[in-house]
Amino acid sequence: MASLFEPLQGDSTNDAAAAGRSRAFSAARIGGTVALTLLISALLVFAVELIVRGSLSQTLLFFQQPFRPGWTTVLLFAFLLIFLDALLGRAYHALLLVAPLALLLAFIGHQKSHYLGDPLYPTDFLYARQILELAPLLVGQRPLMAVATLAGAVASLVLLVMAWKFWRRHIPALSWRARAARLALALPALVFFGSIMDYATFSWARDRLQIIPMMWDQKENYDSNGFAIAFALNVPMAKVSAPQGYSAKAIEAIAQPHTALPVLPAERPDIIIVMNESFWDPTLLPGVTITPDPIPTVRAIQSGHIFSPEFGGMTANVEFEALTGFSNAFLPYGSIPYQQYVRRSLPSLATFLKSEGYATRAFHPFEGWFWNRAPVYEAFGFERFMSVENLPPLAARGPLASDMALTDEIIREADAIAQPFFLFAVTLQNHGPYAANRYIDTMHEVSGAPSAESQGAILSYTEGVADGDKSLARLLEWARQRERPTVIAMFGDHLPPLGPAYVETGFMKDNVASRKAPLPEMSAQHETPLVIWSNRSGPVTDLGSISPALLPLHVLKAAGISHPYYTGFLGEISERYRVIDRNMLVSPADEATPNWSRAKTIDPVIRDFRLLQYDMIFGKRHGKKTFFPTPKEAPGTT
């Protein structure tokens, strides 16, 4: 096979005509190899985009204009193949490495987009272990597909190994001169491409190539720039740049909270927060009838809604907001704070309450490494994390630990604590996917679903929701019998991944929720029920829909506790905005401000929120003494 820059084996005569023909033949061979490499790259990029987009027309549209990022990607892949060929020592050998990897990533990206609505990010591989642990659930839902996928993967691997061996045996090795020529051509080009991938800095070359990082809208980022370049643009995601104007003086200039130190009532209330997996009201599905009501307890005392920043997954991001009072809206799109940014102790509800003499416990009936919870909870100030490693065996309902068993364990732990306590629990029972016949003893009937598959999924999900509602009723009944003041909050982290059931019933246009849409559509697709209840005063009412970051404000208010940040600073925020989403701000009067982060001027309240959050997570913590002070008085005083 012809090789790029392979020296021509011509005769040694001094005949000028022969030498000219030799040079012409060599140039033609080099040109042919370059053209073939570009053709291979173009076909590979086309295949990647076709898999990711799932649409031939959209893929063709991506390549229609000559200077779109599609053709830049073709050049990038060509240089990568040439570079790797030089290292491997054989022409086109790198294709056996690059093509399978690129096509596999494209397939994974398509699957993620189909089920969760987000494209594939480099940081997704930080939680690959989570996906493997949940594989039995996925296999149980579609066993035939799982078997076919496994068989296809094994066959592909065998063919790849055979092709690799064939190439090594039958394709001549490149000379050192040809390998050096390849490196001289490809290495500077790859360095150039690497230098323009830092989206945080302006690049003239990137601008000329029409590569526009759209980090505020990753769907558009991937649609416009293509899978490979958008994926590369997200590699620097772990680095969070300081907001414009960040300094000690900027933090000092933030309005001082009304409360200089935390103020707690003489009888300190116990606090329990339960984040219930995928808890939502399935009766909202159009045309679907569910009997009996699966969530009568929540419906009777509902305080409002949580406006979740996620859909169908990414539970840890919702949890991050609810525990810290910080917002994902100020972090890179697609990032996972639990796995990327929590590297030291961080202010949270647990940190604060622990400093006030509270016992702090976290519960989740799964492995402690999941979402990196064990080190994160320690950084958040939880004294103990009760995971599957140290929880007693919990009875299962369906394939996972039941909500009721977890609730009983929370009650058992609470009854054994003498001091005031803060308990935070994340349930597991109603985690997707929702295969039909998940439960053998269903208590509900579902009718009106367009297909048997959707009806089975809705019924399985409904049973789990109903169990979550019953578990809340059990917790409330226990709290009513207590003499100590007790505040209980329960909310869903996001809507469930019901997939085709949403489309078939007309609830959504796609299997996944929108990330950018008018407020009514965003509310319908991102709101989950919220309950905040006290055994002294009953349920908190009329909260409306709030971001998880504002949950600490309302929980502490229900407990009669004041704090410079959690009720002071967040209280000021809540007067201006009830939802802080990366694509939309929503006022208490339901006035939406879309695309706020791209505006030339940002509301000073939001600017200060972002500055203070950066200061506490990544910066020098200039605002710690003002907004997160350490108590000067001994626990128990007021």
Side-chain angles (χ1 to χ4, degrees):
M1 183 175 288
S3 302
L4 181 63
F5 302 146
E6 189 71 58
L8 184 67
Q9 302 298 318
D11 59 52
S12 57
T13 66
N14 294 322
D15 185 82
R21 287 194 298 271
S22 175
R23 287 192 296 271
F25 179 74
S26 179
R29 187 167 62 176
I30 292 171
T33 305
V34 171
L36 182 57
T37 302
L38 288 172
L39 177 60
I40 291 172
S41 299
L43 291 173
L44 180 56
V45 174
F46 186 89
V48 166
E49 292 300 326
L50 182 61
I51 292 172
V52 171
R53 296 168 190 269
S55 166
L56 178 60
S57 61
Q58 291 298 316
T59 303
L60 290 173
L61 185 64
F62 179 62
F63 285 94
Q64 277 185 0
Q65 298 186 28
F67 297 107
R68 293 285 289 176
W71 297 105
T72 301
T73 309
V74 170
L75 287 176
L76 174 60
F77 270 62
F79 285 124
L80 180 61
L81 290 172
I82 292 170
F83 172 75
L84 292 176
D85 279 349
L87 297 183
L88 295 172
R90 282 169 173 76
Y92 312 110
H93 201 183
L95 187 63
L96 297 179
L97 290 178
V98 175
L101 179 60
L103 296 174
L104 177 62
L105 291 177
F107 175 75
I108 295 173
H110 176 75
Q111 293 300 304
K112 185 190 175 191
S113 179
H114 179 73
Y115 287 105
L116 296 179
D118 272 340
L120 184 70
Y121 307 117
T123 51
D124 288 337
F125 295 96
L126 292 172
Y127 61 98
R129 187 179 173 189
Q130 278 93 312
I131 297 175
L132 292 176
E133 286 290 329
L134 293 173
L137 282 178
L138 301 174
V139 171
Q141 186 179 31
R142 292 184 172 88
L144 295 180
M145 181 180 292
V147 171
T149 301
L150 180 60
V154 172
S156 299
L157 184 59
V158 170
L159 289 174
L160 185 60
V161 171
M162 292 174 61
W164 184 273
K165 291 182 177 180
F166 176 87
W167 219 269
R168 300 300 293 183
R169 291 173 182 170
H170 296 88
I171 304 301
L174 296 172
S175 68
W176 285 106
R177 182 178 176 183
R179 295 173 75 172
R182 278 174 159 77
L183 288 175
L185 174 67
L187 190 57
L190 293 176
V191 171
F192 165 75
F193 277 112
S195 69
I196 67 175
M197 287 299 112
D198 184 3
Y199 66 83
T201 59
F202 175 77
S203 167
W204 180 89
R206 187 174 62 218
D207 188 60
R208 298 285 77 77
L209 292 171
Q210 297 188 23
I211 299 173
I212 304 173
M214 304 177 188
M215 313 313 287
W216 59 88
D217 186 348
Q218 289 287 0
K219 186 177 185 303
E220 182 63 28
N221 189 28
Y222 277 72
D223 285 346
S224 178
N225 292 315
F227 178 78
I229 287 181
F231 189 85
L233 286 169
N234 278 290
V235 169
M237 189 186 292
K239 177 185 176 183
V240 178
S241 302
Q244 184 178 2
Y246 172 69
S247 66
K249 289 186 178 180
I251 298 300
E252 292 172 1
I254 297 175
Q256 300 293 303
H258 299 303
T259 302
L261 288 172
V263 178
L264 288 81
E267 189 177 15
R268 303 189 174 195
D270 297 323
I271 299 173
I272 300 175
I273 298 179
V274 177
M275 187 170 74
N276 195 288
E277 173 64 41
S278 299
F279 192 90
W280 177 68
D281 182 1
T283 65
L284 294 175
L285 292 170
V288 174
T289 301
I290 301 174
T291 54
D293 184 2
I295 57 169
T297 304
V298 169
R299 205 179 302 283
I301 61 171
Q302 187 169 339
S303 303
H305 292 90
I306 286 291
F307 190 100
S308 177
E310 302 294 346
F311 172 85
M314 304 298 284
T315 296
N317 284 355
V318 183
E319 187 177 328
F320 167 78
E321 290 200 15
L323 284 173
T324 63
F326 296 139
S327 176
N328 288 285
F330 308 136
L331 297 173
Y333 202 138
S335 60
I336 310 166
Y338 270 27
Q339 294 186 298
Q340 293 170 258
Y341 308 134
V342 182
R343 294 290 181 265
R344 54 178 177 170
S345 62
L346 198 65
S348 75
L349 280 178
T351 307
F352 158 54
L353 293 170
K354 180 182 177 182
S355 73
E356 294 289 346
Y358 275 66
T360 54
R361 308 276 194 276
F363 300 78
H364 182 54
F366 205 63
E367 279 84 356
W369 57 262
F370 203 80
W371 288 125
N372 203 35
R373 279 191 174 100
V376 167
Y377 284 161
E378 183 178 356
F380 281 2
F382 284 103
E383 297 169 330
R384 292 177 62 191
F385 173 28
M386 311 295 288
S387 63
V388 72
E389 290 87 352
N390 52 19
L391 279 168
L394 300 182
R397 172 116 161 90
L400 300 170
S402 79
D403 284 5
M404 190 63 75
L406 178 61
T407 298
D408 287 341
E409 183 59 26
I410 292 171
I411 291 172
R412 189 194 67 79
E413 185 77 14
D415 286 339
I417 301 175
Q419 68 200 95
F421 58 74
F422 168 49
L423 307 182
F424 175 76
V426 181
T427 71
L428 183 63
Q429 178 186 330
N430 213 22
H431 199 290
Y434 308 101
N437 303 315
R438 180 169 179 165
Y439 302 100
I440 60 175
D441 52 347
T442 56
M443 306 290 290
H444 294 77
E445 292 184 1
V446 174
S447 61
S451 70
E453 182 179 1
S454 290
Q455 186 152 316
I458 295 169
L459 177 58
S460 292
Y461 173 73
T462 297
E463 289 295 320
V465 166
D467 286 348
D469 187 84
K470 293 172 185 174
S471 298
L472 175 63
R474 163 88 170 95
L475 194 61
L476 297 179
E477 183 59 31
W478 165 80
R480 289 189 183 98
Q481 310 304 317
R482 305 187 78 221
E483 295 183 1
R484 290 187 48 76
T486 306
V487 173
I488 294 173
M490 194 275 276
F491 65 99
D493 51 350
H494 50 68
L495 266 69
L498 288 173
Y502 288 126
V503 179
E504 292 178 9
T505 60
F507 183 78
M508 296 192 304
K509 297 178 182 178
D510 299 309
N511 287 345
V512 295
S514 301
R515 296 291 184 180
K516 293 181 65 176
L519 179 58
E521 182 177 341
M522 289 290 288
S523 297
Q525 299 176 7
H526 288 271
E527 288 183 350
T528 65
L530 167 65
V531 169
I532 301 177
W533 176 92
S534 166
N535 66 348
R536 295 290 176 88
S537 56
V540 175
T541 58
D542 301 324
L543 285 186
S545 181
I546 63 170
S547 285
L550 296 180
L551 182 66
L553 162 68
H554 297 289
V555 168
L556 291 187
K557 283 179 64 176
I561 299 174
S562 298
H563 183 274
Y565 178 80
Y566 293 114
T567 61
F569 184 83
L570 290 183
E572 297 291 330
I573 295 291
S574 69
E575 292 180 5
R576 293 279 295 153
Y577 301 105
R578 61 175 178 83
V579 171
I580 303 96
D581 181 74
R582 67 176 69 254
N583 292 313
M584 179 183 293
L585 300 173
V586 183
S587 73
D590 288 339
E591 297 171 342
T593 305
N595 301 319
W596 62 269
S597 62
R598 298 171 58 188
K600 292 183 179 180
T601 58
I602 296 176
D603 189 325
V605 172
I606 298 299
R607 177 202 62 202
D608 291 347
F609 194 0
R610 180 160 57 180
L611 285 171
L612 185 55
Q613 175 172 314
Y614 178 88
D615 182 56
M616 297 308 300
I617 299 178
F618 307 103
K620 297 184 178 180
R621 300 193 171 183
H622 302 296
K624 184 178 185 303
K625 290 184 179 180
T626 301
F627 294 96
F628 301 94
T630 302
K632 296 182 179 180
E633 298 176 324
T637 61
T638 58

